Amino acid sequence: MFREVLADLGGRVYATSDDSSLFIWWFAHAADVAASWFGAGSGETTALHTVRMNHPDGVNAAWNTSVLGLALPLAPLTWWLGPVVVYNLCILASPVAAGMACALLLTRFTRPGAAYPAATLYAFSPYLVAQAGGHLNLSFAALPPLVGVFVHAAVTGPRGGGLAHRLQRLLPAGVLLAAAVGWQFYLSTELLAGTFLAASVCLLATAVVLRGRLLARLAPAAVVGAGAAVSALLLAAPLLSTMLAGPGAPREALRPHGVWSNDLADALVPPGFAPFGQEPEAIERVVGIDPAEVGGHLSLVWLLLGVWAAVRMWNSPRYGALVRITALTGVLVWLLSMGSSLRVGGGDTGVPGPFALVEQIPVLDNVLPMRLSVHVVLCLAVLTAVLLQDTADRAGRSRIVAVTGLVLAAASLAPAGVQAREIAIPEFFRDGAWEQSIPAEAVVKAVPQPRALAEADADQAMVWQALTGLHYRETGGYFIGSTPEHPVIYQSLLDPLDQALGRIGEEGLDAVPREELRTAVLDSAARGTDFVLVPADVPRLPAAGDELAEALRAASGAQARLVDDVWVLDLRGLA
């Protein structure tokens, strides 16, 4: 799957958009903070807020995909190998982590021979493969199965005996739940919120299926579950306090509703990286969506395996309750993933979806419905494992059919077409020339400025800054935040120089008069910018690098020199 990334761990990423640059930057941030704790680094010791990006206002890391749960423990590795390599290693590890967590759940009720193939389908499901293309926080999906471990332990625990005995039996699963949820706060609060929603649906299905049989197990599950929740909240207290009271917190829902939803046809239309895959545009969306989000495919073969498992064992004495709970949960969460209005083949049916109710609930209204697909594929993995176990226990043709179905499902889901792309990194940042050219703590505007676009190279400047170990402070940035005038922003606000560069990119160098360009550069200097960096040749430049640098120099009178392949314009004398 990742063969192209493995060929160049420090220069390639598996990502169509440039969200990968965001994660690479946060790995560098965590490494810098950890180094600062020991007297090295930039001196920025707070992991949950930074002014190295979007200077001088900074960014609230608690509201962003800072993946501190991975980035801080791996800081020594980042010091050694660099943030690009460590990010790629985490992407490589994400299906392994997800699959092993799923196997931990499945082996509670099946043998490894049935659990591991089904867990592999979960780990390399189209949803998780798609999210690995730039969304590390979502592809590292170990939490949903670990929550499932606790739910299974609670439902199957002893009904008899004293309360203390029942609590003791459930305690290991409760400790696992507390640690997993507490850690998840620092990895992805959205996956945590979505898992809470899916777990609530699962508990509702459990109550419907088990009815009176659940009551005897309710007390120990409630006590241990409450203890796990309190423990997780205590672990997450620093992050939560920064979310609630820290600067730059958004004041509205992070994304507009009714956009990031699955289509009913997604289940059967394969993504581009799967065999016989279609382009993301095969199904029309409300707006253009990053291909990393399109992960609702389940494949006809895998769906048939799930249906067969449900029909075959609906009333099974051994697996009936588990199958009914799992099937009900999977169907309900699948409907939730359709969003607030059901769409088929790109057309809006006008039929409201159940997620319209979720959109009215604070906090949960920030969950993007199409990202609930991870719980749908987990339910299918459970049904697949149970089917494999049941057919293995019985001699006959059903065993051959189940194994054949498993092979066909794997073949139809295989991520054979995953492709990596090169990161645009000027030699200036590769060979260390930046260290002699830019003083530590200088304020820099790198061109092109990072932008909140679901396109390649939109945020390449964040990778450049990350490779310097956040040696300088950057005026631009791609993040979620707010200003007094804007309740939600997704990037640094455009200053006059950004606006002038944007016009140049659309209309050419002659579009901005020299005096206007001079005013824009002087305004940037007055705002505290020390240097403007203009690479000679990278994607998305508004004009040819040499010509653009000369135009900025000639208009403003700033000193400019070409270092390797980057023009360094010194604005300090202009202020």
Side-chain angles (χ1 to χ4, degrees), residues 395-464:
R397 188 179 302 171
S398 61
R399 180 190 304 179
I400 299 174
V401 175
V403 172
T404 302
L406 175 71
V407 172
L408 291 176
S412 67
L413 297 170
V418 166
Q419 294 182 345
R421 64 173 177 81
E422 301 285 342
I423 307 174
I425 305 175
E427 197 63 30
F428 176 83
F429 295 99
R430 291 184 183 272
D431 65 8
W434 52 267
E435 195 164 12
Q436 288 75 43
S437 304
I438 306 174
E441 298 304 302
V443 178
V444 170
K445 179 188 289 292
V447 181
Q449 282 275 78
R451 296 276 70 115
L453 299 172
E455 300 173 7
D457 303 308
D459 307 293
Q460 54 192 308
M462 297 180 71
V463 176
W464 306 341

Side-chain angles (χ1 to χ4, degrees), residues 140-450:
F140 215 94
L143 178 70
L146 297 181
V147 172
V149 170
F150 176 79
V151 173
H152 183 268
V155 170
T156 59
R159 286 184 291 177
L163 180 60
H165 170 68
R166 287 182 284 162
L167 288 173
Q168 186 178 8
R169 288 285 301 273
L170 191 55
L171 189 59
V175 171
L176 177 66
L177 179 68
V181 172
W183 177 67
Q184 186 64 42
F185 271 106
Y186 295 94
L187 187 59
S188 171
T189 50
E190 183 178 0
L191 181 58
L192 178 58
T195 302
F196 171 79
L197 183 60
S200 300
V201 172
C202 180
L203 291 175
L204 175 63
T206 302
V208 169
V209 171
L210 296 185
R211 293 186 288 278
R213 288 178 289 168
L214 185 63
L215 294 176
R217 300 181 174 94
L218 210 53
V223 171
V224 176
V230 170
S231 300
L233 289 172
L234 289 174
L235 290 171
L239 182 135
L240 292 173
S241 63
T242 306
M243 292 186 79
L244 295 173
R251 301 189 300 277
E252 289 183 357
L254 302 184
R255 300 290 184 186
H257 295 156
V259 176
W260 281 267
S261 305
N262 279 336
D263 189 292
L264 290 167
D266 276 324
L268 300 179
V269 177
F273 53 75
F276 311 106
Q278 305 294 315
E279 293 301 317
E281 297 80 13
I283 298 177
E284 184 180 354
R285 309 289 170 175
V286 178
V287 298
I289 292 179
D290 180 358
E293 299 286 7
V294 184
H297 181 59
L298 301 173
S299 96
L300 178 61
V301 181
W302 201 14
L303 277 172
L304 290 176
L305 281 178
V307 171
W308 182 23
V311 172
R312 179 186 176 94
M313 288 170 289
W314 191 263
N315 294 312
S316 164
R318 181 179 180 185
Y319 290 119
L322 173 63
V323 165
R324 293 196 296 275
I325 291 169
T326 303
L328 287 173
T329 300
V331 170
L332 290 174
V333 175
W334 180 72
L335 289 173
L336 285 174
S337 76
M338 299 299 150
S340 55
S341 183
L342 302 184
R343 299 174 64 85
V344 181
D348 194 336
T349 65
V351 178
F355 198 82
L357 299 175
V358 179
E359 290 177 346
Q360 309 306 314
I361 304 174
V363 178
L364 293 181
D365 66 339
N366 285 311
V367 174
L368 303 187
M370 64 195 319
R371 293 179 175 178
L372 294 173
S373 296
V374 63
H375 309 289
V376 179
V377 296
L378 178 60
C379 290
L380 270 177
V382 171
L383 292 175
T384 302
V386 172
L387 176 66
L388 292 174
Q389 185 62 65
D390 182 72
T391 55
D393 291 341
R394 306 175 188 223
R397 188 179 302 171
S398 61
R399 180 190 304 179
I400 299 174
V401 175
V403 172
T404 302
L406 175 71
V407 172
L408 291 176
S412 67
L413 297 170
V418 166
Q419 294 182 345
R421 64 173 177 81
E422 301 285 342
I423 307 174
I425 305 175
E427 197 63 30
F428 176 83
F429 295 99
R430 291 184 183 272
D431 65 8
W434 52 267
E435 195 164 12
Q436 288 75 43
S437 304
I438 306 174
E441 298 304 302
V443 178
V444 170
K445 179 188 289 292
V447 181
Q449 282 275 78

